[in-house]
């Protein structure tokens, strides 16, 4: 039986247009919540899968929505299955299902409600791959993302000087800029992709996806990345990407890529093969499979559950709400303390 499937975006965040072609309107999807809600809806709709985009929370059915669009206290009714698209946020305390972007986040509950399921993040829509006319040139190092999420060492002038000595130009595209001159989908002139948040291995970035790795594969360029759980979960061989834990290792890897052309070509060819796993059509089919084999059976189970059992689920998860608020407060206090210490050092 087909149940109503919704993607919810509140009126306050409703897009100006609903794109018929996601790849042609790639610039809409720099907004994170749109990637999970609007893009998924458009991809499924184009595939012919029955679903609806709404600006009001339905009273019944299966609803997919981004964590940013949900109040902490919202509790689904007896005929509403809430599928929270968690992204890199805290989980919603009362969602019966979470879709996560890192397989390390997966949690299976004994009673099923509150489980977390992994689906890969969509690759960059409308991505322009490296221009094949560049041949074997190795000149432009690219980074597409928020600049403040780069390791501080990679923003130092000394790092740029070392790149210059290796014959490389650093082409950082800061995706916080919305001006059209910043084409964060354009890898046509990029010969190498580097993205390292930190050179420390203490942080696995459990809520972060492997999107940057997918981008490099689809663009046809080798990737040098930091120690992150999402990347490691995708790794099947040493040709998938190069992992580094220091600036020295990074520069050594760059030099080898520059000088060892067969190795560089092997990495690029391997990436093209791995890119097939995250082609939009393939991911759309994975979404449909998840809806049919996970969400619909869960919806049926929720609707047939007793009212007392549903209330017990909410009560049990109330602790999650409190815990998330404590963690957020601690993070804010730590951030403010760090900024204060930094200002004191400067003064």
């Amino acid at each position: 039986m087909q149940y109503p499937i919704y993607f919810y975006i509140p009126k306050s965040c409703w897009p100006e247009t609903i794109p018929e072609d996601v790849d042609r309107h790639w610039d809409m999807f720099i907004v994170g919540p749109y990637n999970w809600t609007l893009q998924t809806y458009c991809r499924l709709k184009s595939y012919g899968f029955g679903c609806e985009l709404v600006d009001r929370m339905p009273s019944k059915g299966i609803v997919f929505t981004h964590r940013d669009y949900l109040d902490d206290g919202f509790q689904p009714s007896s005929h509403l299955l809430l599928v929270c698209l968690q992204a890199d946020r805290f989980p919603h305390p009362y969602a019966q299902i979470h879709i996560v972007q890192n397989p390390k986040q997966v949690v299976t509950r004994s009673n099923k409600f509150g489980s977390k399921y992994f689906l890969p993040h969509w690759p960059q829509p409308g991505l322009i791959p490296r221009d094949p006319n560049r041949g074997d040139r190795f000149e432009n190092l690219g980074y597409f993302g928020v600049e403040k999420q780069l390791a501080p060492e990679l923003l130092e002038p000394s790092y740029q000087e070392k790149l210059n000595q290796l014959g490389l130009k650093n082409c950082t595209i800061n995706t916080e800029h919305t001006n059209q001159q910043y084409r964060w989908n354009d890898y046509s002139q990029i010969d190498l992709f580097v993205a390292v948040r930190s050179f420390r291995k203490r942080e696995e970035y459990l809520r972060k996806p492997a999107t940057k790795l997918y981008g490099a594969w689809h663009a046809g360029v080798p990737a040098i990345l930091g120690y992150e759980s999402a990347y490691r979960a995708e790794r099947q061989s040493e040709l998938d990407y190069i992992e580094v834990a220091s600036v020295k290792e990074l520069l050594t890897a760059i030099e080898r890529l520059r000088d060892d052309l067969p190795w560089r070509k092997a990495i690029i060819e391997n990436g093209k093969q791995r890119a097939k796993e995250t082609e939009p059509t393939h991911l759309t089919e994975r979404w449909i499979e998840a809806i049919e084999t996970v969400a619909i059976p869960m919806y049926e189970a929720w609707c047939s559950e007793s009212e007392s059992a549903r209330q017990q689920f909410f009560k049990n998860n109330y602790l999650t709400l409190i815990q998330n608020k404590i963690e957020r407060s601690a993070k804010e206090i730590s951030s403010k303390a760090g900024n204060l210490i930094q200002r004191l050092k400067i003064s």
Side-chain angles (χ1 to χ4, degrees):
M1 180 177 179
Q2 178 64 52
Y3 297 103
I5 308 293
Y6 301 102
F7 284 84
Y8 166 68
I9 299 176
K11 279 187 176 181
S12 58
C13 303
W14 193 259
E16 293 183 6
T17 59
I18 308 299
E20 292 184 7
D21 186 338
V22 168
D23 292 304
R24 188 159 64 89
H25 295 277
W26 60 269
D27 55 332
M28 292 184 66
F29 298 100
I30 193 61
V31 179
Y34 281 2
N35 266 314
W36 282 107
T37 51
L38 183 59
Q39 182 176 179
T40 306
Y41 162 77
C42 290
R43 298 278 189 197
L44 289 172
K45 199 74 174 176
S46 296
Y47 198 84
F49 185 80
C51 55
E52 186 178 350
L53 187 68
V54 296
D55 61 8
R56 291 186 179 182
M57 181 64 73
S59 59
K60 60 175 59 178
I62 301 172
V63 179
F64 293 82
T65 191
H66 193 276
R67 180 64 177 91
D68 285 0
Y69 300 151
L70 289 169
D71 291 332
D72 284 349
F74 177 77
Q75 295 183 353
S77 68
S78 59
H79 285 80
L80 180 68
L81 186 81
L82 182 61
V83 184
C84 175
L85 307 171
Q86 185 177 329
D88 60 355
R89 310 297 196 259
F90 286 100
H92 188 271
Y94 305 124
Q96 298 98 321
I97 301 177
H98 285 83
I99 299 295
V100 295
Q101 58 191 6
N102 186 327
K104 284 284 233 177
Q105 295 174 282
V106 171
V107 175
T108 302
R109 299 282 177 83
S110 57
N111 64 358
K112 294 187 179 179
F113 303 127
S115 294
K116 298 184 179 184
Y117 296 87
F118 167 70
L119 281 172
H121 194 288
W122 297 102
Q124 169 65 50
L127 185 145
I128 301 172
R130 183 179 183 273
D131 184 354
N133 292 323
R134 289 187 65 77
D136 298 332
R137 292 166 69 179
F138 192 70
E139 300 168 348
N140 295 329
L141 179 155
Y143 168 76
F144 297 75
V146 179
E147 194 172 80
K148 64 186 178 184
Q149 290 187 3
L150 272 174
E153 296 93 331
L154 303 187
L155 300 175
E156 293 291 335
S158 58
Y159 170 67
Q160 183 61 59
E161 290 173 9
K162 290 173 182 175
L163 289 181
N164 292 339
Q165 292 169 9
L166 290 170
L168 281 169
K169 178 183 177 183
N170 196 354
C171 304
T172 296
I173 306 297
N174 191 340
T175 54
E176 285 186 311
H177 294 290
T178 56
N179 190 301
Q180 289 300 301
Q181 67 175 301
Y182 295 97
R183 296 185 61 81
W184 51 80
N185 68 324
D186 188 355
Y187 290 72
S188 61
Q189 302 303 305
I190 300 302
D191 304 311
L192 168 66
F193 183 83
V194 173
V196 181
R197 272 182 241 272
S198 171
F199 289 108
R200 295 175 299 176
K201 292 187 176 182
R202 287 177 292 178
E203 174 62 77
E204 290 190 287
Y205 299 101
L206 295 176
R207 294 183 189 145
K208 294 297 183 182
T211 319
K212 289 181 171 60
L213 177 58
Y214 302 156
W217 286 344
H218 284 268
V221 298
I224 301 179
L225 306 170
Y227 180 91
E228 294 193 23
S229 57
Y231 300 145
R232 292 191 142 217
E234 293 286 351
R235 197 170 201 178
Q236 296 178 3
S237 81
E238 293 183 355
L239 293 177
D240 287 335
Y241 68 93
I242 304 164
E243 182 181 275
V244 295
S246 68
V247 175
K248 182 179 179 180
E249 287 184 11
L250 170 58
L251 294 171
T252 299
I254 292 173
E255 186 172 6
R256 183 184 172 190
L257 283 169
R258 183 194 65 181
D259 299 338
D260 190 341
L261 183 57
W263 184 53
R264 192 197 326 161
K265 285 185 173 181
I267 291 174
I268 293 170
E269 186 55 39
N270 175 77
K272 290 178 180 178
Q273 296 304 313
R274 292 300 310 274
K276 296 176 182 178
E277 300 168 23
T278 51
E279 285 288 347
T281 299
H282 180 67
L283 291 187
T284 301
E285 291 171 350
R286 286 189 63 172
W287 268 92
I288 293 172
E289 180 184 13
I291 291 171
E292 293 177 343
T293 63
V294 176
I296 289 177
M298 192 77 74
Y299 177 69
E300 292 172 340
W302 180 255
C303 292
S304 62
E305 194 65 272
S306 68
E307 183 59 27
S308 61
R310 284 192 287 265
Q311 291 303 316
Q312 189 61 49
F313 169 74
F314 293 143
K315 289 178 181 177
N316 291 343
N317 282 17
Y318 179 73
L319 181 61
T320 302
L321 177 63
I322 302 302
Q323 181 181 349
N324 289 347
K325 288 184 176 181
I326 292 173
E327 286 185 31
R328 259 178 260 163
S329 297
K331 188 175 181 180
E332 289 175 5
I333 292 171
S334 177
S335 177
K336 289 178 181 178
N339 291 337
L340 177 59
I341 292 171
Q342 186 63 30
R343 286 198 298 269
L344 290 173
K345 286 182 178 178
I346 295 173
S347 60

